[in-house]
């Protein structure tokens, strides 16, 4: 789907692409690897992006100014597409430049478990469900057996065997795989070695990104430890304890109205940092180290809480996962459908205007902030020569650029202690245990 819009007087051609998901896009086996059929969903994306590069001029676009944009699993896909050798992307068995110049990754850019077992276990479950387990999981016979079924049968099998608990990566079980071709090595290794495209990037997260995915009954140190241990099963118990020591319970306040404990918020913050903050910072630092501009943001305003409360009678989750979407797409009316209370404020509409204009301005100019055009004010690159790291707080009472620590750090970021916490989460030992 191709659509044209204009923001700040700058034309933006938006293209939505389709690609295979679940077992169809991310099935894993040695037989598929041998025929270069693993990571089919990512290959679909790359083919679509190459089509855009070759044909976008027919729609009024500029092939030399292409921005890819994804949120959540789409943000992970953005991270996978950026990864490459310095000479170009390793895809389809050939080295060639990536077909884009800029990228936006929201609420994910990488993920624990890519070199783990989640997808292999999901694959085994589907194979068994349709009776293709007479031979080895990795054999040609198993792949041929799966291909003998129609799409609906395999889809039903994947749905029936789907598990979404914390021990199964909170349901994110169909992940990319190191296939030696599209993804030639573990993502963390590619990042450390600088094997990625040199592009301008905007990366960010929602302030309470994962509260809606955390067990609301967590109320003790042991509960917190067990939840994180289940989420990162290869992390040693000692490192889980060390991680939690960086999040002292005294720094988190219970919400008695919502019946959510301090331990709940402590756990949610730690898991948010593992998935949504520290890995993006690790990626961003390496991109910036090689001369690329990177813009970081922390989304700090939402109208999703009123929707959740109306639908579930639950509250207290804050600025949850996806809270940024209705703003950056300028589409608050999505929730004004008569199904539940809708109380968007003038501040919400103003943020939707600033947010959507900033994203389209980034697509047009490579910068999310443009004076005199009602974008986010002062949203500058995240990394300075002095070692300061800045994050733009988008929305809420503290909007603006803030260092993560030091004298230029706003209270909203200073209390998050990102440098200290991410130094541990991004250490070689912990990265190895997070399996990415």
């Amino acid at each position: 789907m191709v659509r044209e819009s204009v923001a700040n007087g700058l034309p933006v051609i938006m293209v939505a692409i389709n690609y295979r998901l679940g077992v169809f896009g991310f099935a894993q086996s040695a037989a598929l690897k041998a025929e270069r059929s693993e990571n089919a969903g990512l290959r679909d994306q790359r083919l679509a992006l190459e089509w855009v590069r070759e044909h976008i001029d027919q729609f009024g676009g500029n092939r030399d100014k292409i921005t890819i944009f994804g949120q959540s699993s789409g943000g992970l896909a953005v991270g996978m597409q950026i990864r490459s050798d310095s000479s170009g992307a390793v895809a389809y068995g050939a080295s060639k430049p990536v077909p884009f110049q800029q990228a936006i990754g929201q609420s994910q850019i990488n993920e624990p478990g890519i070199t783990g077992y989640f997808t292999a276990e999901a694959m085994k479950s589907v194979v068994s469900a349709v009776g293709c387990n007479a031979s080895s999981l990795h054999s040609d016979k198993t792949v041929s057996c799966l291909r003998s079924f129609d799409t609906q049968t395999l889809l039903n099998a994947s749905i029936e065997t789907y598990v979404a608990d914390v021990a199964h990566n909170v349901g994110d079980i169909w992940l990319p795989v190191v296939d030696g071709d599209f993804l030639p090595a573990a993502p963390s290794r590619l990042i450390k070695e600088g094997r990625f495209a040199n592009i301008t990037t905007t990366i960010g997260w929602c302030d309470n990104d994962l509260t809606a995915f955390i067990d609301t009954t967590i109320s003790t140190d042991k509960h917190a430890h067990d939840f994180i241990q289940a989420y990162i099963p290869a992390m040693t118990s000692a490192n889980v304890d060390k991680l939690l020591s960086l999040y002292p319970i005294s720094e988190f306040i219970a919400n008695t109205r919502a019946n959510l404990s301090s331990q709940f918020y402590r756990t949610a913050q730690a898991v948010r940092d593992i998935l949504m903050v520290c890995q993006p910072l690790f990626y961003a630092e390496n991109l910036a180290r090689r001369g690329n501009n990177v813009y970081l943001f922390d989304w700090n305003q939402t109208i999703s809480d009123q929707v959740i409360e109306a639908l579930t009678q639950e509250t207290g989750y804050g600025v949850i996962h996806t809270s940024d979407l209705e703003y950056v797409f300028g589409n608050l009316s999505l929730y004004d459908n008569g199904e539940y209370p809708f109380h968007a404020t003038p501040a919400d509409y103003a943020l939707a205007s600033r947010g959507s204009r900033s994203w389209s301005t980034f697509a047009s100019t490579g910068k999310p902030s443009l004076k005199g055009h009602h974008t986010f004010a002062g949203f500058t690159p995240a990394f300075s020569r002095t070692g300061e790291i800045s994050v733009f707080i988008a929305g809420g009472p503290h909007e603006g650029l803030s260092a993560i620590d030091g004298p230029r750090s706003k209270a909203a970021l200073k209390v998050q202690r990102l440098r200290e916490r991410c130094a541990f989460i991004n250490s070689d030992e912990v990265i190895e245990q997070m399996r990415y």
Side-chain angles (χ1 to χ4, degrees):
M1 180 180 72
V2 180
R3 188 177 134 205
E4 181 176 357
S5 68
V6 176
N8 301 323
L10 304 171
V12 177
I13 309 298
M14 295 182 287
V15 182
I17 65 175
N18 291 323
Y19 57 93
R20 284 169 283 184
L21 301 170
V23 67
F24 304 105
F26 297 95
Q28 290 184 14
S29 83
L32 291 171
K33 181 177 181 179
E35 65 180 39
R36 293 180 175 175
S37 292
E38 289 185 317
N39 291 321
L42 296 177
R43 295 170 189 269
D44 290 345
Q45 294 169 7
R46 178 56 61 87
L47 187 62
L49 291 170
E50 289 178 347
W51 184 93
V52 170
R53 180 184 59 188
E54 294 303 314
H55 300 287
I56 198 61
D57 60 316
Q58 302 296 315
F59 299 89
N62 183 350
R63 61 175 299 174
D64 296 319
K65 185 72 73 170
I66 295 174
T67 301
I68 61 172
F69 170 23
Q71 186 268 348
S72 195
S73 61
L76 173 61
V78 166
M80 297 297 105
Q81 294 294 340
I82 295 172
R83 296 202 179 95
S84 71
D85 283 327
S86 59
S87 58
V90 179
Y92 310 114
S95 182
K96 50 188 173 181
V98 295
F100 53 89
Q101 294 77 35
Q102 299 170 169
I104 301 172
Q106 293 178 222
S107 291
Q108 228 174 328
I109 199 88
N110 211 339
E111 186 161 359
I114 287 176
T115 61
Y117 65 84
F118 298 118
T119 303
E121 291 298 317
M123 184 76 174
K124 287 178 185 177
S125 296
V126 171
V127 166
S128 296
V130 295
C132 288
N133 54 349
S135 55
S136 164
L137 175 70
H138 296 284
S139 71
D140 292 335
K141 288 183 179 179
T142 299
V143 171
S144 295
C145 179
L146 289 171
R147 286 172 172 163
S148 70
F149 289 96
D150 60 84
T151 301
Q152 192 62 50
T153 298
L154 290 182
L155 176 61
N156 290 342
S158 68
I159 293 172
E160 290 165 4
T161 58
Y162 176 71
V163 184
D165 62 16
V166 64
H168 293 82
N169 207 32
V170 200
D172 202 1
I173 55 178
W174 295 102
L175 295 172
V177 61
V178 176
D179 59 2
D181 179 31
F182 192 98
L183 194 59
S188 59
R189 177 181 162 191
L190 296 177
I191 295 169
K192 289 176 185 176
E193 294 177 356
R195 295 168 65 183
F196 44 69
N198 289 308
I199 63 171
T200 303
T201 314
T202 295
I203 304 173
W205 54 88
C206 293
D207 201 55
N208 308 107
D209 220 313
L210 290 176
T211 47
F213 298 91
I214 307 301
D215 182 354
T216 57
T217 67
I218 291 174
S219 59
T220 67
D221 285 341
K222 186 177 186 307
H223 289 163
H225 182 286
D226 290 350
F227 188 91
I228 292 174
Q229 186 74 80
Y231 177 54
I232 309 290
M235 185 180 285
T236 65
S237 180
N239 274 339
V240 174
D241 287 337
K242 187 172 181 179
L243 173 71
L244 286 170
S245 73
L246 297 172
Y247 298 81
I249 191 63
S250 60
E251 294 184 7
F252 298 90
I253 301 171
N255 185 328
T256 54
R257 174 175 173 258
N259 198 29
L260 297 172
S261 70
S262 300
Q263 293 282 4
F264 166 83
Y265 288 110
R266 174 198 196 193
T267 306
Q269 190 82 356
V271 176
R272 184 209 73 162
D273 289 352
I274 288 171
L275 178 59
M276 300 298 187
V277 178
C278 294
Q279 289 183 78
L281 277 176
F282 171 66
Y283 207 154
E285 285 176 317
N286 281 277
L287 282 164
R289 189 173 294 127
R290 288 163 176 82
N292 302 293
N293 279 340
V294 183
Y295 300 86
L296 295 174
F297 70 89
D298 177 339
W299 203 271
N300 208 24
Q301 189 168 322
T302 186
I303 62 169
S304 298
D305 51 350
Q306 60 188 259
V307 177
I308 291 175
E309 186 168 8
L311 292 175
T312 67
Q313 287 72 57
E314 296 177 358
T315 188
Y317 293 121
V319 187
I320 64 165
H321 193 60
T322 75
S323 287
D324 47 352
L325 289 181
E326 54 264 28
Y327 295 96
V328 300
F329 281 108
N331 192 24
L332 297 182
S333 61
L334 171 71
Y335 295 114
D336 189 14
N337 58 14
E339 295 182 10
Y340 30 70
F342 177 74
H343 303 296
T345 66
D348 288 316
Y349 286 107
L351 179 58
S353 177
R354 291 195 305 281
S356 60
R357 285 170 177 263
S358 296
W359 261 229
S360 61
T361 297
F362 175 80
S364 294
T365 69
K367 299 177 181 179
S369 186
L370 189 63
K371 288 184 178 180
H373 287 78
H374 196 54
T375 57
F376 288 133
F379 191 173
T380 56
F383 299 91
S384 73
R385 294 180 180 177
T386 63
E388 186 176 73
I389 302 174
S390 297
V391 176
F392 190 88
I393 301 172
H398 306 288
E399 182 168 300
L401 196 70
S402 171
I404 63 172
D405 52 17
R408 295 201 324 121
S409 178
K410 296 185 177 183
L413 273 183
K414 186 175 290 186
V415 297
Q416 297 186 32
R417 295 165 52 191
L418 294 183
R419 193 183 297 271
E420 177 187 9
R421 291 166 176 173
C422 289
F424 174 70
I425 292 170
N426 292 336
S427 66
D428 289 344
E429 179 181 352
V430 174
I431 284 176
E432 171 60 29
Q433 293 173 6
M434 290 199 296
R435 299 289 190 258
Y436 79 94

